[in-house]
Coordinates of all heavy atoms in Angstrom, one line a residue:
M538 N -51.4 -5.8 150.8 CA -51.1 -5.7 149.4 C -51.3 -4.2 148.9 O -52.2 -3.5 149.4 CB -52.1 -6.6 148.6 CG -52.1 -6.4 147.1 SD -53.5 -7.1 146.3 CE -53.0 -8.8 146.2
R539 N -50.5 -3.9 148.0 CA -50.7 -2.5 147.4 C -50.7 -2.8 145.9 O -50.2 -3.8 145.3 CB -49.5 -1.6 147.6 CG -49.3 -1.3 149.1 CD -48.2 -0.4 149.4 NE -48.4 0.9 148.8 CZ -48.9 1.8 149.6 NH1 -49.3 1.7 150.9 NH2 -49.1 3.1 149.1
I540 N -51.4 -1.9 145.2 CA -51.4 -1.8 143.7 C -50.6 -0.7 143.2 O -50.8 0.4 143.6 CB -52.8 -1.7 143.2 CG1 -53.8 -2.8 143.7 CG2 -52.9 -1.7 141.7 CD1 -53.6 -4.3 143.0
D541 N -49.7 -1.0 142.3 CA -48.9 0.0 141.5 C -49.4 0.2 140.1 O -49.6 -0.8 139.4 CB -47.4 -0.3 141.6 CG -46.9 -0.4 143.0 OD1 -47.1 0.6 143.8 OD2 -46.3 -1.4 143.4
I542 N -49.7 1.4 139.7 CA -50.1 1.8 138.4 C -49.0 2.3 137.6 O -48.4 3.3 138.0 CB -51.3 2.7 138.4 CG1 -52.5 2.0 139.2 CG2 -51.7 3.0 137.1 CD1 -53.6 3.1 139.5
D543 N -48.8 1.8 136.4 CA -47.9 2.4 135.4 C -48.9 3.2 134.4 O -49.3 2.6 133.5 CB -47.1 1.3 134.7 CG -46.1 2.0 133.7 OD1 -46.2 3.2 133.4 OD2 -45.2 1.2 133.2
T544 N -49.1 4.5 134.8 CA -50.1 5.3 134.0 C -49.8 5.4 132.6 O -50.7 5.4 131.8 CB -50.3 6.6 134.7 OG1 -50.5 6.4 136.0 CG2 -51.5 7.3 134.1
A545 N -48.5 5.4 132.3 CA -48.0 5.5 130.9 C -48.5 4.3 130.0 O -48.7 4.5 128.8 CB -46.6 5.8 130.8
R546 N -48.6 3.2 130.7 CA -49.0 2.0 129.9 C -50.5 1.9 129.7 O -51.0 1.2 128.8 CB -48.5 0.7 130.7 CG -47.1 0.4 130.5 CD -46.8 -0.9 131.2 NE -45.4 -1.3 131.1 CZ -45.1 -2.2 130.2 NH1 -46.0 -2.9 129.5 NH2 -43.8 -2.6 130.1
C547 N -51.3 2.4 130.7 CA -52.8 2.3 130.6 C -53.3 2.8 129.3 O -53.1 4.0 128.9 CB -53.4 3.0 131.9 SG -55.2 2.8 131.8
E548 N -54.1 2.0 128.7 CA -54.8 2.3 127.4 C -56.4 2.5 127.6 O -57.1 2.5 126.6 CB -54.4 1.3 126.3 CG -53.0 1.3 126.0 CD -52.5 0.3 124.9 OE1 -53.5 -0.5 124.6 OE2 -51.4 0.3 124.6
G549 N -56.8 2.3 128.8 CA -58.2 2.6 129.1 C -59.1 1.4 128.7 O -60.3 1.7 128.4
H550 N -58.6 0.2 128.5 CA -59.4 -0.9 128.2 C -60.5 -1.1 129.1 O -61.6 -1.7 128.9 CB -58.6 -2.2 128.0 CG -57.5 -2.1 127.0 ND1 -57.8 -2.1 125.6 CD2 -56.2 -2.0 127.0 CE1 -56.7 -2.0 124.9 NE2 -55.6 -1.9 125.7
G551 N -60.2 -0.9 130.5 CA -61.2 -1.0 131.5 C -61.5 -2.4 131.9 O -62.4 -2.6 132.7
L552 N -60.7 -3.4 131.5 CA -60.9 -4.7 132.0 C -60.8 -4.8 133.5 O -61.5 -5.6 134.2 CB -60.0 -5.7 131.3 CG -60.2 -5.9 129.8 CD1 -59.1 -6.8 129.2 CD2 -61.6 -6.6 129.6
C553 N -59.8 -4.2 134.0 CA -59.6 -4.1 135.5 C -60.8 -3.7 136.3 O -61.1 -4.4 137.2 CB -58.4 -3.3 135.9 SG -58.5 -1.6 135.3
A554 N -61.5 -2.6 135.7 CA -62.6 -2.2 136.4 C -63.8 -3.1 136.2 O -64.7 -3.1 137.1 CB -62.9 -0.7 135.9
Q555 N -63.8 -3.9 135.2 CA -65.0 -4.8 135.0 C -64.7 -6.0 136.0 O -65.7 -6.5 136.5 CB -65.0 -5.4 133.6 CG -65.4 -4.3 132.6 CD -65.4 -4.8 131.1 OE1 -65.5 -6.0 130.9 NE2 -65.3 -3.9 130.2
V556 N -63.5 -6.5 136.1 CA -63.2 -7.6 136.9 C -63.3 -7.3 138.4 O -63.8 -8.0 139.2 CB -61.8 -8.1 136.6 CG1 -61.3 -9.2 137.7 CG2 -61.8 -8.7 135.2
A557 N -62.8 -6.1 138.8 CA -62.8 -5.7 140.2 C -63.3 -4.3 140.3 O -62.5 -3.4 140.7 CB -61.4 -5.9 140.8
P558 N -64.5 -3.9 140.2 CA -65.1 -2.6 140.3 C -65.0 -2.0 141.7 O -65.0 -0.8 141.9 CB -66.5 -2.8 139.9 CG -66.9 -4.2 140.1 CD -65.6 -4.9 139.9
Q559 N -64.7 -2.9 142.7 CA -64.6 -2.3 144.1 C -63.2 -1.8 144.2 O -62.9 -0.9 145.2 CB -64.6 -3.5 145.1 CG -65.7 -4.5 144.8 CD -65.2 -5.7 144.1 OE1 -64.6 -5.6 143.1 NE2 -65.4 -6.9 144.6
V560 N -62.2 -2.0 143.3 CA -60.9 -1.6 143.5 C -60.5 -0.6 142.4 O -59.8 0.4 142.7 CB -59.9 -2.8 143.4 CG1 -58.5 -2.4 143.5 CG2 -60.3 -3.9 144.4
F561 N -60.9 -0.9 141.1 CA -60.4 0.0 140.0 C -61.7 0.7 139.4 O -62.8 0.3 139.3 CB -59.8 -1.0 138.9 CG -58.7 -1.8 139.4 CD1 -58.9 -3.1 139.7 CD2 -57.5 -1.2 139.6 CE1 -57.8 -3.9 140.2 CE2 -56.3 -2.0 140.0 CZ -56.6 -3.4 140.3
D562 N -61.3 1.9 138.8 CA -62.2 2.7 138.2 C -61.5 3.4 137.0 O -60.3 3.4 137.0 CB -62.9 3.7 139.1 CG -64.3 4.3 138.6 OD1 -64.6 3.9 137.4 OD2 -64.8 5.1 139.3
L563 N -62.3 4.1 136.2 CA -61.6 5.0 135.1 C -61.9 6.4 135.4 O -63.0 6.7 135.8 CB -62.1 4.5 133.7 CG -61.8 3.1 133.3 CD1 -62.3 2.9 131.8 CD2 -60.3 2.8 133.4
D564 N -60.9 7.2 135.1 CA -61.2 8.7 135.3 C -61.8 9.3 134.0 O -62.2 8.5 133.1 CB -59.9 9.4 135.7 CG -58.9 9.4 134.7 OD1 -59.1 9.1 133.5 OD2 -57.7 9.8 135.0
D565 N -61.9 10.6 134.0 CA -62.6 11.3 132.9 C -61.9 11.1 131.6 O -62.4 11.3 130.5 CB -62.8 12.7 133.2 CG -63.9 13.0 134.3 OD1 -64.7 12.0 134.6 OD2 -63.8 14.0 134.9
D566 N -60.6 10.8 131.7 CA -59.7 10.6 130.5 C -59.6 9.0 130.2 O -58.7 8.6 129.4 CB -58.3 11.1 130.7 CG -58.4 12.7 130.9 OD1 -59.2 13.2 130.1 OD2 -57.6 13.2 131.7
D567 N -60.4 8.2 130.9 CA -60.4 6.8 130.7 C -59.0 6.1 131.1 O -58.6 5.1 130.5 CB -60.7 6.4 129.2 CG -62.2 6.5 129.0 OD1 -63.1 6.5 129.9 OD2 -62.5 6.6 127.8
L568 N -58.4 6.8 132.1 CA -57.2 6.1 132.6 C -57.6 5.5 134.0 O -58.4 6.1 134.7 CB -56.1 7.1 132.8 CG -55.6 7.6 131.5 CD1 -54.5 8.7 131.8 CD2 -55.0 6.5 130.6
V569 N -56.9 4.4 134.3 CA -57.2 3.7 135.5 C -57.0 4.5 136.8 O -56.0 5.2 136.8 CB -56.6 2.3 135.6 CG1 -55.1 2.5 135.7 CG2 -57.1 1.5 136.7
I570 N -57.8 4.5 137.7 CA -57.6 5.0 139.1 C -58.0 4.0 140.1 O -58.8 3.1 139.8 CB -58.4 6.3 139.3 CG1 -59.9 6.2 139.1 CG2 -57.9 7.5 138.5 CD1 -60.7 7.3 139.4
L571 N -57.5 4.1 141.3 CA -57.8 3.2 142.4 C -58.9 3.8 143.3 O -58.8 4.9 143.7 CB -56.5 3.0 143.2 CG -55.4 2.2 142.6 CD1 -54.2 2.1 143.5 CD2 -55.9 0.7 142.2
R572 N -59.9 2.9 143.6 CA -60.9 3.4 144.6 C -60.3 3.2 146.0 O -60.9 3.8 146.9 CB -62.1 2.4 144.5 CG -62.9 2.7 143.2 CD -64.1 1.8 143.1 NE -65.0 2.0 142.0 CZ -65.9 2.9 141.9 NH1 -66.1 3.7 143.0 NH2 -66.6 3.1 140.8
Q573 N -59.4 2.4 146.2 CA -58.9 2.1 147.5 C -57.4 2.9 147.6 O -56.6 2.6 146.8 CB -58.6 0.6 147.8 CG -59.7 -0.3 147.4 CD -60.8 0.0 148.4 OE1 -60.6 0.3 149.6 NE2 -62.1 -0.1 148.0
V574 N -57.3 3.7 148.6 CA -56.1 4.5 148.7 C -55.2 3.7 149.6 O -55.6 3.3 150.7 CB -56.4 5.9 149.3 CG1 -55.1 6.6 149.6 CG2 -57.2 6.7 148.3
G575 N -53.9 3.5 149.3 CA -52.9 2.8 150.1 C -53.1 1.3 150.0 O -53.4 0.7 149.0
Q576 N -53.1 0.7 151.2 CA -53.2 -0.7 151.4 C -54.6 -1.2 151.0 O -55.6 -0.6 151.4 CB -52.9 -1.0 152.9 CG -52.5 -2.5 153.0 CD -51.0 -2.8 152.7 OE1 -50.3 -1.8 152.4 NE2 -50.6 -4.0 152.7
I577 N -54.6 -2.2 150.2 CA -55.9 -2.9 149.7 C -56.4 -3.7 151.0 O -55.7 -4.4 151.5 CB -55.7 -3.8 148.6 CG1 -55.1 -3.0 147.4 CG2 -57.0 -4.5 148.2 CD1 -56.0 -2.0 146.8
P578 N -57.6 -3.5 151.3 CA -58.2 -4.3 152.5 C -58.1 -5.8 152.1 O -58.2 -6.2 151.0 CB -59.7 -3.8 152.6 CG -59.6 -2.5 151.9 CD -58.6 -2.6 150.9
A579 N -57.9 -6.6 153.2 CA -57.8 -8.0 153.0 C -58.8 -8.6 152.3 O -58.7 -9.5 151.4 CB -57.6 -8.7 154.4
D580 N -60.0 -8.2 152.4 CA -61.2 -8.8 151.7 C -61.3 -8.4 150.3 O -62.2 -9.0 149.6 CB -62.5 -8.5 152.5 CG -62.8 -7.0 152.5 OD1 -61.9 -6.2 152.4 OD2 -64.0 -6.6 152.6
L581 N -60.5 -7.5 149.8 CA -60.4 -7.2 148.4 C -59.2 -7.6 147.8 O -59.0 -7.3 146.5 CB -60.7 -5.7 148.3 CG -62.0 -5.1 148.7 CD1 -62.0 -3.6 148.5 CD2 -63.2 -5.7 147.9
E582 N -58.3 -8.3 148.5 CA -57.0 -8.6 147.8 C -57.2 -9.6 146.6 O -56.5 -9.4 145.6 CB -56.1 -9.2 148.9 CG -55.4 -8.2 149.8 CD -54.4 -8.8 150.7 OE1 -54.2 -10.0 150.6 OE2 -53.8 -8.0 151.4
A583 N -58.0 -10.6 146.8 CA -58.2 -11.5 145.6 C -58.8 -10.8 144.4 O -58.3 -11.0 143.3 CB -59.2 -12.7 146.1
A584 N -59.8 -10.0 144.6 CA -60.3 -9.1 143.5 C -59.3 -8.2 142.9 O -59.2 -8.2 141.7 CB -61.6 -8.4 144.0
A585 N -58.5 -7.6 143.7 CA -57.5 -6.7 143.3 C -56.4 -7.4 142.4 O -56.0 -6.9 141.4 CB -56.8 -6.0 144.4
A586 N -56.0 -8.6 142.9 CA -55.0 -9.4 142.1 C -55.6 -9.8 140.8 O -55.0 -9.8 139.8 CB -54.6 -10.6 143.0
S587 N -56.9 -10.3 140.8 CA -57.5 -10.6 139.5 C -57.6 -9.5 138.5 O -57.4 -9.6 137.4 CB -58.9 -11.3 139.8 OG -58.8 -12.5 140.5
G588 N -58.0 -8.4 139.1 CA -58.1 -7.2 138.2 C -56.8 -6.8 137.6 O -56.7 -6.4 136.5
A589 N -55.7 -6.8 138.5 CA -54.4 -6.5 138.0 C -53.9 -7.5 136.9 O -53.3 -7.1 135.9 CB -53.4 -6.6 139.2
R590 N -54.2 -8.7 137.1 CA -53.8 -9.8 136.1 C -54.6 -9.6 134.8 O -54.1 -10.0 133.7 CB -54.1 -11.2 136.6 CG -53.0 -11.7 137.6 CD -53.1 -13.2 137.8 NE -54.4 -13.7 138.3 CZ -54.8 -13.7 139.6 NH1 -53.9 -13.4 140.5 NH2 -56.0 -14.1 139.9
S591 N -55.8 -9.0 134.9 CA -56.6 -8.9 133.7 C -56.1 -7.9 132.7 O -56.5 -7.8 131.5 CB -58.1 -8.6 134.1 OG -58.1 -7.2 134.5
C592 N -55.2 -7.0 133.1 CA -54.8 -5.8 132.3 C -53.9 -6.4 131.1 O -52.9 -7.0 131.2 CB -53.9 -4.9 133.1 SG -53.3 -3.5 132.1
P593 N -54.3 -6.1 129.9 CA -53.7 -6.6 128.7 C -52.4 -6.0 128.3 O -51.6 -6.4 127.5 CB -54.7 -6.5 127.5 CG -55.5 -5.3 128.0 CD -55.6 -5.4 129.5
V594 N -52.1 -4.8 129.0 CA -50.9 -4.1 128.8 C -49.9 -4.1 130.0 O -49.0 -3.3 130.0 CB -51.1 -2.7 128.3 CG1 -51.8 -2.8 126.8 CG2 -52.0 -1.9 129.2
A595 N -50.2 -5.0 131.0 CA -49.4 -5.0 132.1 C -49.2 -3.7 132.9 O -48.0 -3.3 133.2 CB -48.1 -5.7 131.8
A596 N -50.2 -2.8 133.0 CA -50.0 -1.6 133.6 C -50.2 -1.6 135.1 O -50.0 -0.7 135.8 CB -51.1 -0.6 133.0
L597 N -50.6 -2.8 135.6 CA -50.9 -2.9 137.1 C -50.0 -4.0 137.6 O -49.9 -5.1 137.1 CB -52.4 -3.4 137.2 CG -53.4 -2.5 136.6 CD1 -54.9 -3.1 136.7 CD2 -53.4 -1.1 137.4
S598 N -49.5 -3.8 138.8 CA -48.7 -4.7 139.5 C -49.0 -4.7 141.0 O -49.6 -3.7 141.5 CB -47.2 -4.5 139.3 OG -46.9 -3.2 139.7
T599 N -48.8 -5.8 141.6 CA -49.1 -5.9 143.0 C -47.8 -6.1 143.8 O -46.8 -6.5 143.4 CB -50.0 -7.1 143.4 OG1 -49.4 -8.3 143.0 CG2 -51.4 -7.0 142.6
S600 N -47.9 -5.6 145.1 CA -46.7 -5.7 146.0 C -47.3 -5.9 147.4 O -48.4 -5.5 147.7 CB -45.7 -4.5 145.9 OG -46.4 -3.3 146.2
S601 N -46.5 -6.4 148.3 CA -47.0 -6.7 149.7 C -46.6 -5.5 150.5 O -45.9 -4.6 150.2 CB -46.5 -8.0 150.2 OG -45.1 -8.0 150.0
Ligands
SF4_221 S1 -57.1 -3.0 132.1 FE1 -55.0 -2.1 132.1 S2 -55.2 -0.8 130.3 FE2 -57.3 -1.3 130.8 S3 -57.9 0.4 132.2 FE3 -57.2 -1.2 133.5 S4 -55.0 -0.6 133.8 FE4 -55.7 0.5 132.0

Protein backbone atom coordinates (compact mmCIF):
# COMPACT_ATOMS: atom_id res chain seq x y z
CA MET A 1 0.00 0.00 0.00
CA ARG A 2 1.06 3.55 -0.71
CA ILE A 3 -0.36 6.80 0.61
CA ASP A 4 -0.80 9.72 -1.76
CA ILE A 5 -1.08 13.24 -0.35
CA ASP A 6 -2.87 16.11 -2.04
CA THR A 7 -0.95 18.81 -0.19
CA ALA A 8 -3.08 21.57 -1.68
CA ARG A 9 -6.11 20.14 0.14
CA CYS A 10 -4.48 19.64 3.55
CA GLU A 11 -5.77 22.12 6.10
CA GLY A 12 -3.69 20.83 9.00
CA HIS A 13 -6.57 19.42 11.03
CA GLY A 14 -4.21 16.69 12.24
CA LEU A 15 -6.83 13.97 12.50
CA CYS A 16 -4.69 11.62 10.42
CA ALA A 17 -1.78 12.04 12.82
CA GLN A 18 -4.07 11.44 15.81
CA VAL A 19 -5.51 8.27 14.29
CA ALA A 20 -2.22 6.88 12.96
CA PRO A 21 0.78 8.65 14.51
CA GLN A 22 3.05 5.85 13.26
CA VAL A 23 2.26 6.89 9.68
CA PHE A 24 1.34 10.58 9.64
CA ASP A 25 2.84 13.70 11.19
CA LEU A 26 2.58 17.45 10.67
CA ASP A 27 5.45 19.62 9.52
CA ASP A 28 6.36 23.07 10.86
CA ASP A 29 3.65 24.59 8.66
CA ASP A 30 1.02 22.14 10.01
CA LEU A 31 0.82 20.25 6.72
CA VAL A 32 0.71 16.49 6.69
CA ILE A 33 3.89 14.50 6.08
CA LEU A 34 4.48 10.77 5.98
CA ARG A 35 6.69 9.05 8.51
CA GLN A 36 6.94 6.05 6.19
CA VAL A 37 8.73 6.66 2.89
CA GLY A 38 7.40 4.67 -0.06
CA GLN A 39 5.53 1.45 0.60
CA ILE A 40 3.67 1.29 3.90
CA PRO A 41 4.78 -1.77 5.92
CA ALA A 42 2.14 -4.48 6.11
CA ASP A 43 1.76 -4.13 9.86
CA LEU A 44 0.86 -0.44 9.48
CA GLU A 45 -1.56 -0.75 6.54
CA ALA A 46 -4.71 -0.85 8.67
CA ALA A 47 -3.63 2.20 10.66
CA ALA A 48 -2.63 4.03 7.48
CA ALA A 49 -5.99 3.32 5.87
CA SER A 50 -7.86 4.50 8.98
CA GLY A 51 -5.80 7.66 9.08
CA ALA A 52 -6.45 8.35 5.41
CA ARG A 53 -10.20 7.87 5.89
CA SER A 54 -10.20 10.27 8.83
CA CYS A 55 -9.18 13.26 6.74
CA PRO A 56 -12.19 15.63 6.54
CA VAL A 57 -10.99 17.22 3.30
CA ALA A 58 -10.03 14.03 1.43
CA ALA A 59 -6.38 14.99 1.14
CA LEU A 60 -5.21 11.40 1.62
CA SER A 61 -5.74 8.43 -0.66
CA THR A 62 -4.40 4.90 -0.71
CA SER A 63 -3.21 2.79 -3.60
CA SER A 64 -1.71 -0.67 -3.88
S1 LIG B 1 -6.46 15.02 8.44
FE1 LIG B 1 -6.31 15.78 6.34
S2 LIG B 1 -6.33 18.00 6.54
FE2 LIG B 1 -5.82 17.14 8.52
S3 LIG B 1 -3.56 17.08 8.60
FE3 LIG B 1 -4.29 15.10 7.89
S4 LIG B 1 -4.24 15.30 5.65
FE4 LIG B 1 -4.18 17.36 6.47
